Amino acid sequence: IAAGVIRVVPQGATLHRRGEADPQLVLLISGSVQMFSSTADGEELMIALVRAPGLMGEAECMLGVPARTDSRALERCCVLEIDRRAVSAALAACPRFAANLARALADKLCGAEARQLALAFEPVEARLARLLVEYAEAYGLPVHGGIKIRVPLGQDQLASALGVARRSVTRALKSWTDGGVLAKQAGFYVISDLRPLRAALSLDAMAMAR
């Protein structure tokens, strides 16, 4: 902790922007962060959701390259930011630290490969199901009638996260709302049953395996 700086990031605030020249290792102590890439005209594609305890900026620190993504606090966060020089010194001095950092990078690599396969082969419905399950696991709050995703989500936001047209998201959501799987209450999605969403993932995985 002596080598880093602790700061509190309000909900909705930007932690780091793509292209920032001084990379840092960021330990997410509490809260959650959305990592995304954005175009010049403001369109966004979600890269990952990071929940505490979690790490960000490992690759940039080890390679000494600028930040590769943008990051935004989805809720109030507490982070520990460690300068790249301190990270390099710790890597040289502490094999356990180096092994843990390598394990974190390997985990992210596996996640990136899974998302790449999803973009290439999964239909929109399966990708949206995966995203809603991920949000439910990260932000699910038990309520009457199911699990409430306690961060507000709009169709435009979901479409941007998947990199698809809004109409594709609208069709999938309608099938689940008509079937009683999903509802929206005061701007928040409530999932009455996660099993149909997980089934959509399982069926697609079986189709890809054939």
mmCIF file of all heavy atoms in Angstrom, residues 97-124:
data_model
loop_
_atom_site.group_PDB
_atom_site.id
_atom_site.type_symbol
_atom_site.label_atom_id
_atom_site.label_comp_id
_atom_site.label_asym_id
_atom_site.label_seq_id
_atom_site.Cartn_x
_atom_site.Cartn_y
_atom_site.Cartn_z
ATOM 1 N N PHE A 97 4.330 -12.595 -6.203
ATOM 2 C CA PHE A 97 3.611 -11.501 -6.850
ATOM 3 C C PHE A 97 3.601 -11.708 -8.366
ATOM 4 O O PHE A 97 2.567 -11.536 -9.026
ATOM 5 C CB PHE A 97 4.256 -10.167 -6.499
ATOM 6 C CG PHE A 97 3.645 -8.980 -7.201
ATOM 7 C CD1 PHE A 97 2.431 -8.462 -6.795
ATOM 8 C CD2 PHE A 97 4.304 -8.393 -8.278
ATOM 9 C CE1 PHE A 97 1.864 -7.377 -7.444
ATOM 10 C CE2 PHE A 97 3.747 -7.307 -8.935
ATOM 11 C CZ PHE A 97 2.519 -6.783 -8.516
ATOM 12 N N ALA A 98 4.740 -12.088 -8.924
ATOM 13 C CA ALA A 98 4.835 -12.322 -10.364
ATOM 14 C C ALA A 98 3.912 -13.457 -10.792
ATOM 15 O O ALA A 98 3.238 -13.372 -11.830
ATOM 16 C CB ALA A 98 6.278 -12.629 -10.745
ATOM 17 N N ALA A 99 3.871 -14.528 -10.004
ATOM 18 C CA ALA A 99 3.015 -15.668 -10.345
ATOM 19 C C ALA A 99 1.541 -15.275 -10.293
ATOM 20 O O ALA A 99 0.747 -15.662 -11.157
ATOM 21 C CB ALA A 99 3.294 -16.830 -9.396
ATOM 22 N N ASN A 100 1.146 -14.514 -9.269
ATOM 23 C CA ASN A 100 -0.253 -14.090 -9.147
ATOM 24 C C ASN A 100 -0.650 -13.166 -10.293
ATOM 25 O O ASN A 100 -1.770 -13.247 -10.813
ATOM 26 C CB ASN A 100 -0.475 -13.389 -7.806
ATOM 27 C CG ASN A 100 -0.476 -14.353 -6.642
ATOM 28 O OD1 ASN A 100 -0.723 -15.550 -6.816
ATOM 29 N ND2 ASN A 100 -0.192 -13.855 -5.451
ATOM 30 N N LEU A 101 0.268 -12.280 -10.700
ATOM 31 C CA LEU A 101 -0.027 -11.378 -11.806
ATOM 32 C C LEU A 101 -0.153 -12.161 -13.116
ATOM 33 O O LEU A 101 -1.041 -11.882 -13.933
ATOM 34 C CB LEU A 101 1.062 -10.312 -11.915
ATOM 35 C CG LEU A 101 0.678 -9.014 -12.653
ATOM 36 C CD1 LEU A 101 -0.504 -8.335 -12.000
ATOM 37 C CD2 LEU A 101 1.872 -8.065 -12.709
ATOM 38 N N ALA A 102 0.717 -13.149 -13.304
ATOM 39 C CA ALA A 102 0.629 -13.991 -14.504
ATOM 40 C C ALA A 102 -0.680 -14.767 -14.531
ATOM 41 O O ALA A 102 -1.301 -14.925 -15.591
ATOM 42 C CB ALA A 102 1.817 -14.951 -14.553
ATOM 43 N N ARG A 103 -1.125 -15.239 -13.361
ATOM 44 C CA ARG A 103 -2.386 -15.975 -13.282
ATOM 45 C C ARG A 103 -3.565 -15.066 -13.632
ATOM 46 O O ARG A 103 -4.490 -15.473 -14.345
ATOM 47 C CB ARG A 103 -2.556 -16.548 -11.877
ATOM 48 C CG ARG A 103 -3.727 -17.529 -11.748
ATOM 49 C CD ARG A 103 -3.775 -18.148 -10.360
ATOM 50 N NE ARG A 103 -2.591 -18.969 -10.116
ATOM 51 C CZ ARG A 103 -1.633 -18.653 -9.254
ATOM 52 N NH1 ARG A 103 -1.700 -17.531 -8.555
ATOM 53 N NH2 ARG A 103 -0.598 -19.444 -9.082
ATOM 54 N N ALA A 104 -3.525 -13.821 -13.156
ATOM 55 C CA ALA A 104 -4.586 -12.865 -13.478
ATOM 56 C C ALA A 104 -4.639 -12.577 -14.973
ATOM 57 O O ALA A 104 -5.718 -12.495 -15.566
ATOM 58 C CB ALA A 104 -4.375 -11.566 -12.694
ATOM 59 N N LEU A 105 -3.473 -12.444 -15.587
ATOM 60 C CA LEU A 105 -3.417 -12.199 -17.027
ATOM 61 C C LEU A 105 -3.930 -13.407 -17.811
ATOM 62 O O LEU A 105 -4.632 -13.252 -18.818
ATOM 63 C CB LEU A 105 -1.986 -11.870 -17.445
ATOM 64 C CG LEU A 105 -1.507 -10.450 -17.141
ATOM 65 C CD1 LEU A 105 0.000 -10.342 -17.345
ATOM 66 C CD2 LEU A 105 -2.225 -9.439 -18.030
ATOM 67 N N ALA A 106 -3.587 -14.610 -17.365
ATOM 68 C CA ALA A 106 -4.056 -15.818 -18.036
ATOM 69 C C ALA A 106 -5.572 -15.927 -17.957
ATOM 70 O O ALA A 106 -6.239 -16.321 -18.931
ATOM 71 C CB ALA A 106 -3.395 -17.055 -17.418
ATOM 72 N N ASP A 107 -6.132 -15.569 -16.814
ATOM 73 C CA ASP A 107 -7.586 -15.604 -16.642
ATOM 74 C C ASP A 107 -8.258 -14.637 -17.608
ATOM 75 O O ASP A 107 -9.272 -14.958 -18.229
ATOM 76 C CB ASP A 107 -7.934 -15.267 -15.194
ATOM 77 C CG ASP A 107 -9.433 -15.346 -14.937
ATOM 78 O OD1 ASP A 107 -9.991 -16.452 -15.065
ATOM 79 O OD2 ASP A 107 -10.035 -14.312 -14.611
ATOM 80 N N LYS A 108 -7.671 -13.440 -17.753
ATOM 81 C CA LYS A 108 -8.248 -12.458 -18.677
ATOM 82 C C LYS A 108 -8.099 -12.908 -20.124
ATOM 83 O O LYS A 108 -8.972 -12.657 -20.960
ATOM 84 C CB LYS A 108 -7.598 -11.099 -18.469
ATOM 85 C CG LYS A 108 -8.063 -10.399 -17.199
ATOM 86 C CD LYS A 108 -7.627 -8.958 -17.151
ATOM 87 C CE LYS A 108 -8.244 -8.273 -15.934
ATOM 88 N NZ LYS A 108 -7.829 -6.852 -15.835
ATOM 89 N N LEU A 109 -7.003 -13.585 -20.437
ATOM 90 C CA LEU A 109 -6.807 -14.091 -21.784
ATOM 91 C C LEU A 109 -7.872 -15.126 -22.134
ATOM 92 O O LEU A 109 -8.434 -15.108 -23.237
ATOM 93 C CB LEU A 109 -5.414 -14.709 -21.922
ATOM 94 C CG LEU A 109 -5.083 -15.345 -23.275
ATOM 95 C CD1 LEU A 109 -5.169 -14.315 -24.391
ATOM 96 C CD2 LEU A 109 -3.700 -15.984 -23.243
ATOM 97 N N CYS A 110 -8.172 -16.011 -21.191
ATOM 98 C CA CYS A 110 -9.226 -17.004 -21.421
ATOM 99 C C CYS A 110 -10.571 -16.319 -21.638
ATOM 100 O O CYS A 110 -11.353 -16.720 -22.506
ATOM 101 C CB CYS A 110 -9.309 -17.973 -20.238
ATOM 102 S SG CYS A 110 -7.914 -19.106 -20.102
ATOM 103 N N GLY A 111 -10.847 -15.279 -20.845
ATOM 104 C CA GLY A 111 -12.093 -14.538 -21.015
ATOM 105 C C GLY A 111 -12.165 -13.846 -22.361
ATOM 106 O O GLY A 111 -13.217 -13.821 -23.009
ATOM 107 N N ALA A 112 -11.042 -13.282 -22.796
ATOM 108 C CA ALA A 112 -11.008 -12.600 -24.094
ATOM 109 C C ALA A 112 -11.233 -13.586 -25.233
ATOM 110 O O ALA A 112 -11.926 -13.275 -26.212
ATOM 111 C CB ALA A 112 -9.675 -11.880 -24.268
ATOM 112 N N GLU A 113 -10.664 -14.792 -25.115
ATOM 113 C CA GLU A 113 -10.864 -15.797 -26.147
ATOM 114 C C GLU A 113 -12.327 -16.230 -26.208
ATOM 115 O O GLU A 113 -12.886 -16.423 -27.301
ATOM 116 C CB GLU A 113 -9.969 -17.005 -25.872
ATOM 117 C CG GLU A 113 -8.484 -16.735 -26.112
ATOM 118 C CD GLU A 113 -7.610 -17.909 -25.718
ATOM 119 O OE1 GLU A 113 -8.111 -18.802 -24.994
ATOM 120 O OE2 GLU A 113 -6.436 -17.934 -26.122
ATOM 121 N N ALA A 114 -12.958 -16.357 -25.038
ATOM 122 C CA ALA A 114 -14.377 -16.733 -25.010
ATOM 123 C C ALA A 114 -15.241 -15.657 -25.658
ATOM 124 O O ALA A 114 -16.175 -15.968 -26.413
ATOM 125 C CB ALA A 114 -14.817 -16.977 -23.565
ATOM 126 N N ARG A 115 -14.928 -14.392 -25.389
ATOM 127 C CA ARG A 115 -15.705 -13.304 -26.009
ATOM 128 C C ARG A 115 -15.482 -13.256 -27.516
ATOM 129 O O ARG A 115 -16.403 -12.968 -28.282
ATOM 130 C CB ARG A 115 -15.332 -11.975 -25.356
ATOM 131 C CG ARG A 115 -15.904 -11.800 -23.962
ATOM 132 C CD ARG A 115 -15.709 -10.386 -23.450
ATOM 133 N NE ARG A 115 -14.309 -10.072 -23.219
ATOM 134 C CZ ARG A 115 -13.653 -10.353 -22.091
ATOM 135 N NH1 ARG A 115 -14.285 -10.957 -21.109
ATOM 136 N NH2 ARG A 115 -12.391 -10.035 -21.938
ATOM 137 N N GLN A 116 -14.259 -13.548 -27.951
ATOM 138 C CA GLN A 116 -13.975 -13.571 -29.383
ATOM 139 C C GLN A 116 -14.779 -14.666 -30.082
ATOM 140 O O GLN A 116 -15.337 -14.454 -31.166
ATOM 141 C CB GLN A 116 -12.482 -13.783 -29.620
ATOM 142 C CG GLN A 116 -12.064 -13.651 -31.079
ATOM 143 C CD GLN A 116 -10.563 -13.769 -31.245
ATOM 144 O OE1 GLN A 116 -9.869 -14.288 -30.378
ATOM 145 N NE2 GLN A 116 -10.052 -13.284 -32.358
ATOM 146 N N LEU A 117 -14.854 -15.830 -29.473
ATOM 147 C CA LEU A 117 -15.655 -16.917 -30.031
ATOM 148 C C LEU A 117 -17.129 -16.552 -30.055
ATOM 149 O O LEU A 117 -17.848 -16.864 -31.017
ATOM 150 C CB LEU A 117 -15.440 -18.195 -29.211
ATOM 151 C CG LEU A 117 -14.101 -18.900 -29.383
ATOM 152 C CD1 LEU A 117 -13.959 -20.034 -28.368
ATOM 153 C CD2 LEU A 117 -13.942 -19.428 -30.800
ATOM 154 N N ALA A 118 -17.591 -15.882 -28.992
ATOM 155 C CA ALA A 118 -18.995 -15.472 -28.944
ATOM 156 C C ALA A 118 -19.322 -14.503 -30.069
ATOM 157 O O ALA A 118 -20.360 -14.605 -30.726
ATOM 158 C CB ALA A 118 -19.301 -14.846 -27.588
ATOM 159 N N LEU A 119 -18.431 -13.525 -30.297
ATOM 160 C CA LEU A 119 -18.652 -12.556 -31.369
ATOM 161 C C LEU A 119 -18.700 -13.237 -32.734
ATOM 162 O O LEU A 119 -19.463 -12.844 -33.621
ATOM 163 C CB LEU A 119 -17.546 -11.496 -31.362
ATOM 164 C CG LEU A 119 -17.638 -10.429 -30.272
ATOM 165 C CD1 LEU A 119 -16.345 -9.615 -30.226
ATOM 166 C CD2 LEU A 119 -18.827 -9.504 -30.514
ATOM 167 N N ALA A 120 -17.885 -14.284 -32.897
ATOM 168 C CA ALA A 120 -17.794 -14.943 -34.196
ATOM 169 C C ALA A 120 -18.932 -15.916 -34.450
ATOM 170 O O ALA A 120 -19.404 -16.036 -35.582
ATOM 171 C CB ALA A 120 -16.450 -15.673 -34.306
ATOM 172 N N PHE A 121 -19.398 -16.620 -33.404
ATOM 173 C CA PHE A 121 -20.284 -17.749 -33.632
ATOM 174 C C PHE A 121 -21.637 -17.683 -32.920
ATOM 175 O O PHE A 121 -22.582 -18.309 -33.379
ATOM 176 C CB PHE A 121 -19.580 -19.051 -33.209
ATOM 177 C CG PHE A 121 -18.320 -19.326 -33.983
ATOM 178 C CD1 PHE A 121 -17.082 -19.306 -33.365
ATOM 179 C CD2 PHE A 121 -18.374 -19.598 -35.336
ATOM 180 C CE1 PHE A 121 -15.921 -19.557 -34.074
ATOM 181 C CE2 PHE A 121 -17.215 -19.850 -36.065
ATOM 182 C CZ PHE A 121 -15.987 -19.828 -35.430
ATOM 183 N N GLU A 122 -21.742 -16.987 -31.808
ATOM 184 C CA GLU A 122 -22.991 -17.007 -31.056
ATOM 185 C C GLU A 122 -24.020 -16.053 -31.646
ATOM 186 O O GLU A 122 -23.684 -14.930 -32.028
ATOM 187 C CB GLU A 122 -22.744 -16.629 -29.595
ATOM 188 C CG GLU A 122 -22.096 -17.703 -28.760
ATOM 189 C CD GLU A 122 -22.011 -17.329 -27.291
ATOM 190 O OE1 GLU A 122 -22.327 -16.183 -26.944
ATOM 191 O OE2 GLU A 122 -21.628 -18.195 -26.497
ATOM 192 N N PRO A 123 -25.283 -16.451 -31.688
ATOM 193 C CA PRO A 123 -26.331 -15.520 -32.096
ATOM 194 C C PRO A 123 -26.528 -14.447 -31.023
ATOM 195 O O PRO A 123 -26.091 -14.598 -29.876
ATOM 196 C CB PRO A 123 -27.567 -16.412 -32.220
ATOM 197 C CG PRO A 123 -27.285 -17.576 -31.331
ATOM 198 C CD PRO A 123 -25.806 -17.793 -31.394
ATOM 199 N N VAL A 124 -27.208 -13.382 -31.400
ATOM 200 C CA VAL A 124 -27.400 -12.252 -30.481
ATOM 201 C C VAL A 124 -28.114 -12.696 -29.208
ATOM 202 O O VAL A 124 -27.766 -12.263 -28.107
ATOM 203 C CB VAL A 124 -28.181 -11.132 -31.180
ATOM 204 C CG1 VAL A 124 -28.565 -10.039 -30.175
ATOM 205 C CG2 VAL A 124 -27.350 -10.524 -32.301
#
